[in-house]
Amino acid sequence: MSVLDILTAILVIIGAAFFLAGTIGLLRFPDLHSRIHALTKADNLGLGFIALGLLIQADSIAVALKIVLVWFLALAAAATSGYLIANHAMESNTPERSDDV
Amino acid sequence: MTFEMLFDVILALMLVWLCWRVLAAPDLFKAVVLFIVYGLLIALAFVRLQAPDIGLAEASIGAGLTGALMLDAVGQMTGRRMPWQRKDEPDRKEADHGQS
Amino acid sequence: MSIETLYVAVAIFLLLNVLGGLIRILIGPARGDRMLAAQLFGTTGVAIILLLAEGLDRPALRDIALVVVLLAVINTVVFVRFTGPPEDRAGETGP
């Protein structure tokens, strides 16, 4: 194994550890908002480290750009869906809170 | 046993178990979400069966568009006021009760 | 151990992650929990497909990863727009 292979292995294993942390957070955290907090970070960084590890091994510029594009789209998707689900959960609770006030 | 075989065995067992859970789920929304995950795993199975084109079609149609259509259908069935309906319009559920 | 073996091993690990996260879909109290788990599985599936594209040396798989990551957010948007808030769940059985 060359130096680049070892670097790729380390980065991919770090990414897998982030995915494990995200799954444990999804299972163990008590409510929806803390689950979103755990999951979006694990999403972005887990896929980010795996994409970075595979980026080192890419043969050409086109392949590298495609991997980077996948990662940026995943960033946008995770940010959008995290905001939308949190907003939906808060919107669902709004009538009770306004009654209290 | 190589790692590829282990991957295939785990994927096949997950597919059978997930298929049973989709069919046996009492809650419609849970069944739809499980079906979305099922479409994703079926796409992975097609990838492992050396058919990336069918995997592409399955990932776009099965996991993406069918899931969205089914979520929309579940929303309609549980009586949600649609975004294009006005606030003062009577709710669909109440209108149905009034007719019956 | 070659680097391709490591890719497939990490893919198996991510698949087991999906298996663990399915419990949240099965028991999740709110609808948002279930959609959140589906979102995580979409990203995990993208990572698995990218790893398999390198490990099995099939560059066509990266297009599948692109399609999956594009369509994963559509489900969430449809859920937020067209599905009612949790109080509206009339006649629906629990988990």
Side-chain angles (χ1 to χ4, degrees):
Chain A
M1 289 173 81
S2 66
V3 179
L4 284 185
D5 281 358
I6 292 172
L7 194 58
T8 299
I10 291 171
L11 287 173
V12 165
I13 287 172
I14 289 175
F18 269 105
F19 272 112
L20 178 66
T23 308
I24 291 176
L26 184 72
L27 287 178
R28 297 293 300 164
F29 273 174
D31 66 338
L32 179 63
H33 294 279
S34 47
R35 277 180 211 132
I36 294 172
H37 153 77
L39 204 132
T40 46
K41 283 177 183 61
D43 247 15
N44 297 335
L45 280 177
L47 190 63
F49 273 112
I50 286 181
L52 197 61
L54 295 179
L55 204 58
I56 301 173
Q57 301 280 329
D59 302 324
S60 63
I61 297 289
V63 170
L65 280 182
K66 196 176 280 184
I67 292 175
V68 170
L69 179 64
V70 166
W71 183 47
F72 273 118
L73 283 176
L75 278 182
T80 310
S81 61
Y83 166 72
L84 282 176
I85 289 179
N87 199 19
H88 182 256
M90 276 185 64
E91 191 183 51
S92 306
N93 292 331
T94 304
E96 299 162 14
R97 285 190 190 165
S98 59
D99 281 345
D100 288 342
V101 174
Chain B
M1 182 185 259
T2 61
F3 276 127
E4 281 92 353
M5 273 181 67
L6 187 61
F7 188 87
D8 292 350
V9 168
I10 293 174
L11 188 60
L13 289 179
M14 273 176 74
L15 278 174
V16 173
W17 182 73
L18 196 57
C19 184
W20 170 55
R21 293 309 303 178
V22 170
L23 291 176
D27 181 0
L28 273 182
F29 185 79
K30 185 162 81 177
V32 170
V33 176
L34 285 173
F35 183 79
I36 294 171
V37 180
Y38 182 75
L40 186 72
L41 291 182
I42 279 282
L44 272 178
F46 277 125
V47 163
R48 283 297 298 143
L49 288 172
Q50 318 255 327
D53 44 355
I54 306 179
L56 189 67
E58 174 62 36
S60 60
I61 299 171
L65 301 178
T66 312
L69 288 175
M70 283 181 171
L71 279 174
D72 188 13
V74 170
Q76 296 263 358
M77 284 169 66
T78 49
R80 157 83 155 170
R81 183 184 287 114
M82 288 293 116
W84 56 83
Q85 286 179 320
R86 290 202 316 272
K87 285 279 185 194
D88 52 349
E89 220 170 332
D91 204 357
R92 265 191 52 225
K93 229 171 8 182
E94 293 167 9
D96 286 345
H97 281 304
Q99 284 172 1
S100 62
Chain C
M1 184 166 121
S2 72
I3 191 80
E4 282 81 14
T5 317
L6 179 82
Y7 292 150
V8 181
V10 173
I12 292 173
F13 176 72
L14 293 180
L15 201 62
L16 292 177
N17 264 343
V18 171
L19 186 59
L22 277 176
I23 298 171
R24 179 49 72 188
I25 292 189
L26 291 176
I27 69 172
R31 292 178 152 190
D33 289 325
R34 298 190 171 133
M35 279 319 290
L36 210 57
Q39 175 74 29
L40 175 67
F41 293 162
T43 315
T44 313
V46 168
I48 292 175
I49 292 172
L50 281 180
L51 283 168
L52 287 183
E54 283 284 333
L56 308 179
D57 197 18
R58 296 183 76 87
L61 299 191
R62 292 196 188 93
D63 296 333
I64 303 181
L66 210 54
V67 167
V68 170
V69 78
L70 267 176
L71 289 178
V73 75
I74 291 182
N75 286 325
T76 311
V77 173
V78 168
F79 160 70
V80 169
R81 286 292 277 178
F82 294 123
T83 313
E87 295 98 331
D88 279 3
R89 289 188 294 176
E92 209 175 85
T93 55

Short mmCIF file of all heavy atoms in Angstrom, two decimals, chain B residues 52-84:
data_model
loop_
_atom_site.label_atom_id
_atom_site.label_comp_id
_atom_site.label_asym_id
_atom_site.label_seq_id
_atom_site.Cartn_x
_atom_site.Cartn_y
_atom_site.Cartn_z
N PRO B 52 -26.05 -1.53 -13.62
CA PRO B 52 -26.12 -0.15 -13.12
C PRO B 52 -27.22 0.66 -13.76
O PRO B 52 -27.76 1.57 -13.13
CB PRO B 52 -24.75 0.43 -13.47
CG PRO B 52 -23.93 -0.68 -13.97
CD PRO B 52 -24.81 -1.79 -14.35
N ASP B 53 -27.62 0.33 -15.00
CA ASP B 53 -28.67 1.12 -15.65
C ASP B 53 -30.01 0.89 -14.97
O ASP B 53 -30.77 1.83 -14.73
CB ASP B 53 -28.72 0.79 -17.14
CG ASP B 53 -28.62 -0.70 -17.40
OD1 ASP B 53 -28.43 -1.44 -16.42
OD2 ASP B 53 -28.73 -1.12 -18.56
N ILE B 54 -30.31 -0.39 -14.66
CA ILE B 54 -31.57 -0.66 -13.95
C ILE B 54 -31.51 -0.06 -12.55
O ILE B 54 -32.51 0.43 -12.03
CB ILE B 54 -31.85 -2.16 -13.92
CG1 ILE B 54 -31.80 -2.73 -15.32
CG2 ILE B 54 -33.19 -2.45 -13.33
CD1 ILE B 54 -32.03 -4.19 -15.39
N GLY B 55 -30.32 -0.08 -11.94
CA GLY B 55 -30.18 0.55 -10.64
C GLY B 55 -30.47 2.04 -10.71
O GLY B 55 -31.09 2.61 -9.82
N LEU B 56 -30.02 2.67 -11.79
CA LEU B 56 -30.29 4.11 -11.98
C LEU B 56 -31.79 4.37 -12.08
O LEU B 56 -32.34 5.27 -11.43
CB LEU B 56 -29.58 4.58 -13.24
CG LEU B 56 -29.54 6.06 -13.54
CD1 LEU B 56 -28.70 6.76 -12.51
CD2 LEU B 56 -28.97 6.29 -14.91
N ALA B 57 -32.47 3.54 -12.90
CA ALA B 57 -33.92 3.72 -13.05
C ALA B 57 -34.63 3.46 -11.73
O ALA B 57 -35.56 4.19 -11.35
CB ALA B 57 -34.45 2.79 -14.13
N GLU B 58 -34.20 2.44 -11.00
CA GLU B 58 -34.86 2.11 -9.74
C GLU B 58 -34.64 3.21 -8.70
O GLU B 58 -35.56 3.57 -7.96
CB GLU B 58 -34.32 0.77 -9.23
CG GLU B 58 -34.81 0.37 -7.87
CD GLU B 58 -36.30 0.19 -7.82
OE1 GLU B 58 -36.86 -0.29 -8.82
OE2 GLU B 58 -36.91 0.54 -6.80
N ALA B 59 -33.42 3.76 -8.68
CA ALA B 59 -33.15 4.82 -7.70
C ALA B 59 -33.98 6.05 -8.00
O ALA B 59 -34.46 6.72 -7.08
CB ALA B 59 -31.67 5.18 -7.71
N SER B 60 -34.18 6.38 -9.29
CA SER B 60 -34.94 7.60 -9.59
C SER B 60 -36.43 7.37 -9.48
O SER B 60 -37.14 8.18 -8.89
CB SER B 60 -34.57 8.10 -10.98
OG SER B 60 -34.88 7.12 -11.94
N ILE B 61 -36.93 6.26 -10.03
CA ILE B 61 -38.38 6.03 -10.02
C ILE B 61 -38.83 5.46 -8.69
O ILE B 61 -39.73 5.97 -8.04
CB ILE B 61 -38.77 5.11 -11.18
CG1 ILE B 61 -38.40 5.75 -12.51
CG2 ILE B 61 -40.25 4.82 -11.15
CD1 ILE B 61 -38.56 4.84 -13.68
N GLY B 62 -38.18 4.37 -8.26
CA GLY B 62 -38.66 3.67 -7.08
C GLY B 62 -38.48 4.46 -5.80
O GLY B 62 -39.40 4.62 -5.01
N ALA B 63 -37.25 4.97 -5.59
CA ALA B 63 -36.99 5.65 -4.32
C ALA B 63 -37.42 7.10 -4.38
O ALA B 63 -37.89 7.65 -3.39
CB ALA B 63 -35.51 5.54 -3.97
N GLY B 64 -37.29 7.76 -5.53
CA GLY B 64 -37.57 9.18 -5.58
C GLY B 64 -39.01 9.51 -5.88
O GLY B 64 -39.73 10.03 -5.03
N LEU B 65 -39.46 9.20 -7.10
CA LEU B 65 -40.75 9.74 -7.54
C LEU B 65 -41.93 8.97 -6.95
O LEU B 65 -42.90 9.59 -6.51
CB LEU B 65 -40.81 9.71 -9.07
CG LEU B 65 -39.69 10.54 -9.70
CD1 LEU B 65 -39.75 10.45 -11.20
CD2 LEU B 65 -39.80 11.98 -9.26
N THR B 66 -41.85 7.62 -6.88
CA THR B 66 -42.96 6.88 -6.30
C THR B 66 -43.13 7.21 -4.82
O THR B 66 -44.26 7.31 -4.33
CB THR B 66 -42.73 5.37 -6.49
OG1 THR B 66 -42.37 5.14 -7.84
CG2 THR B 66 -43.95 4.60 -6.17
N GLY B 67 -42.00 7.38 -4.13
CA GLY B 67 -42.09 7.75 -2.72
C GLY B 67 -42.79 9.08 -2.54
O GLY B 67 -43.65 9.23 -1.67
N ALA B 68 -42.45 10.07 -3.39
CA ALA B 68 -43.08 11.38 -3.28
C ALA B 68 -44.58 11.28 -3.58
O ALA B 68 -45.41 11.86 -2.87
CB ALA B 68 -42.41 12.36 -4.25
N LEU B 69 -44.95 10.51 -4.61
CA LEU B 69 -46.37 10.38 -4.94
C LEU B 69 -47.13 9.70 -3.82
O LEU B 69 -48.26 10.09 -3.48
CB LEU B 69 -46.51 9.56 -6.23
CG LEU B 69 -46.10 10.28 -7.51
CD1 LEU B 69 -46.19 9.33 -8.68
CD2 LEU B 69 -46.99 11.46 -7.75
N MET B 70 -46.52 8.69 -3.20
CA MET B 70 -47.22 7.98 -2.11
C MET B 70 -47.35 8.85 -0.87
O MET B 70 -48.38 8.80 -0.18
CB MET B 70 -46.47 6.69 -1.78
CG MET B 70 -46.71 5.60 -2.78
SD MET B 70 -45.85 4.13 -2.30
CE MET B 70 -46.53 3.00 -3.49
N LEU B 71 -46.32 9.67 -0.59
CA LEU B 71 -46.44 10.60 0.54
C LEU B 71 -47.58 11.59 0.29
O LEU B 71 -48.35 11.90 1.21
CB LEU B 71 -45.13 11.36 0.73
CG LEU B 71 -44.02 10.66 1.47
CD1 LEU B 71 -42.78 11.50 1.42
CD2 LEU B 71 -44.41 10.41 2.89
N ASP B 72 -47.69 12.07 -0.93
CA ASP B 72 -48.79 12.97 -1.29
C ASP B 72 -50.13 12.28 -1.09
O ASP B 72 -51.08 12.86 -0.55
CB ASP B 72 -48.62 13.40 -2.75
CG ASP B 72 -49.60 14.47 -3.14
OD1 ASP B 72 -50.23 15.03 -2.24
OD2 ASP B 72 -49.73 14.74 -4.34
N ALA B 73 -50.21 11.00 -1.50
CA ALA B 73 -51.47 10.27 -1.34
C ALA B 73 -51.83 10.10 0.12
O ALA B 73 -52.99 10.27 0.52
CB ALA B 73 -51.36 8.91 -2.02
N VAL B 74 -50.85 9.80 0.97
CA VAL B 74 -51.14 9.66 2.40
C VAL B 74 -51.60 10.99 2.99
O VAL B 74 -52.52 11.05 3.79
CB VAL B 74 -49.89 9.12 3.14
CG1 VAL B 74 -50.08 9.20 4.63
CG2 VAL B 74 -49.64 7.70 2.74
N GLY B 75 -50.97 12.09 2.53
CA GLY B 75 -51.40 13.40 2.99
C GLY B 75 -52.84 13.71 2.60
O GLY B 75 -53.61 14.25 3.39
N GLN B 76 -53.22 13.34 1.38
CA GLN B 76 -54.61 13.55 0.95
C GLN B 76 -55.57 12.72 1.78
O GLN B 76 -56.66 13.16 2.13
CB GLN B 76 -54.75 13.16 -0.52
CG GLN B 76 -53.95 13.99 -1.47
CD GLN B 76 -54.77 15.10 -2.07
OE1 GLN B 76 -55.95 15.19 -1.80
NE2 GLN B 76 -54.13 15.92 -2.88
N MET B 77 -55.18 11.47 2.09
CA MET B 77 -56.10 10.57 2.80
C MET B 77 -56.34 11.02 4.23
O MET B 77 -57.41 10.80 4.79
CB MET B 77 -55.53 9.15 2.80
CG MET B 77 -55.70 8.47 1.47
SD MET B 77 -54.75 6.97 1.42
CE MET B 77 -55.62 6.02 2.63
N THR B 78 -55.34 11.66 4.86
CA THR B 78 -55.53 12.08 6.24
C THR B 78 -56.08 13.49 6.34
O THR B 78 -56.12 14.05 7.42
CB THR B 78 -54.22 11.97 7.03
OG1 THR B 78 -53.18 12.61 6.26
CG2 THR B 78 -53.84 10.54 7.25
N GLY B 79 -56.51 14.09 5.21
CA GLY B 79 -57.29 15.31 5.29
C GLY B 79 -56.50 16.56 5.61
O GLY B 79 -56.88 17.33 6.49
N ARG B 80 -55.42 16.78 4.89
CA ARG B 80 -54.63 18.00 5.10
C ARG B 80 -55.18 19.10 4.20
O ARG B 80 -55.50 18.86 3.04
CB ARG B 80 -53.18 17.69 4.76
CG ARG B 80 -52.34 18.88 4.38
CD ARG B 80 -51.81 19.60 5.57
NE ARG B 80 -50.60 20.32 5.23
CZ ARG B 80 -50.02 21.19 6.04
NH1 ARG B 80 -50.55 21.41 7.21
NH2 ARG B 80 -48.93 21.80 5.70
N ARG B 81 -55.24 20.33 4.72
CA ARG B 81 -55.63 21.44 3.86
C ARG B 81 -54.48 21.73 2.91
O ARG B 81 -53.34 21.93 3.31
CB ARG B 81 -55.93 22.68 4.70
CG ARG B 81 -56.40 23.85 3.84
CD ARG B 81 -56.59 25.09 4.66
NE ARG B 81 -57.78 25.00 5.51
CZ ARG B 81 -57.74 24.96 6.83
NH1 ARG B 81 -56.59 24.97 7.44
NH2 ARG B 81 -58.83 24.90 7.54
N MET B 82 -54.79 21.75 1.62
CA MET B 82 -53.74 21.91 0.62
C MET B 82 -53.23 23.34 0.61
O MET B 82 -53.96 24.26 0.96
CB MET B 82 -54.27 21.55 -0.77
CG MET B 82 -54.51 20.07 -0.95
SD MET B 82 -52.98 19.13 -0.93
CE MET B 82 -53.20 18.12 0.51
N PRO B 83 -51.99 23.55 0.18
CA PRO B 83 -51.42 24.90 0.22
C PRO B 83 -52.17 25.89 -0.65
O PRO B 83 -52.15 27.09 -0.38
CB PRO B 83 -50.00 24.69 -0.30
CG PRO B 83 -49.71 23.27 -0.11
CD PRO B 83 -51.01 22.56 -0.20
N TRP B 84 -52.85 25.41 -1.71
CA TRP B 84 -53.54 26.35 -2.59
C TRP B 84 -54.96 26.64 -2.11
O TRP B 84 -55.66 27.43 -2.72
CB TRP B 84 -53.56 25.81 -4.02
CG TRP B 84 -54.16 24.46 -4.14
CD1 TRP B 84 -55.47 24.15 -4.23
CD2 TRP B 84 -53.47 23.23 -4.17
NE1 TRP B 84 -55.63 22.81 -4.32
CE2 TRP B 84 -54.42 22.22 -4.29
CE3 TRP B 84 -52.10 22.89 -4.12
CZ2 TRP B 84 -54.06 20.87 -4.34
CZ3 TRP B 84 -51.77 21.55 -4.17
CH2 TRP B 84 -52.73 20.56 -4.28
#
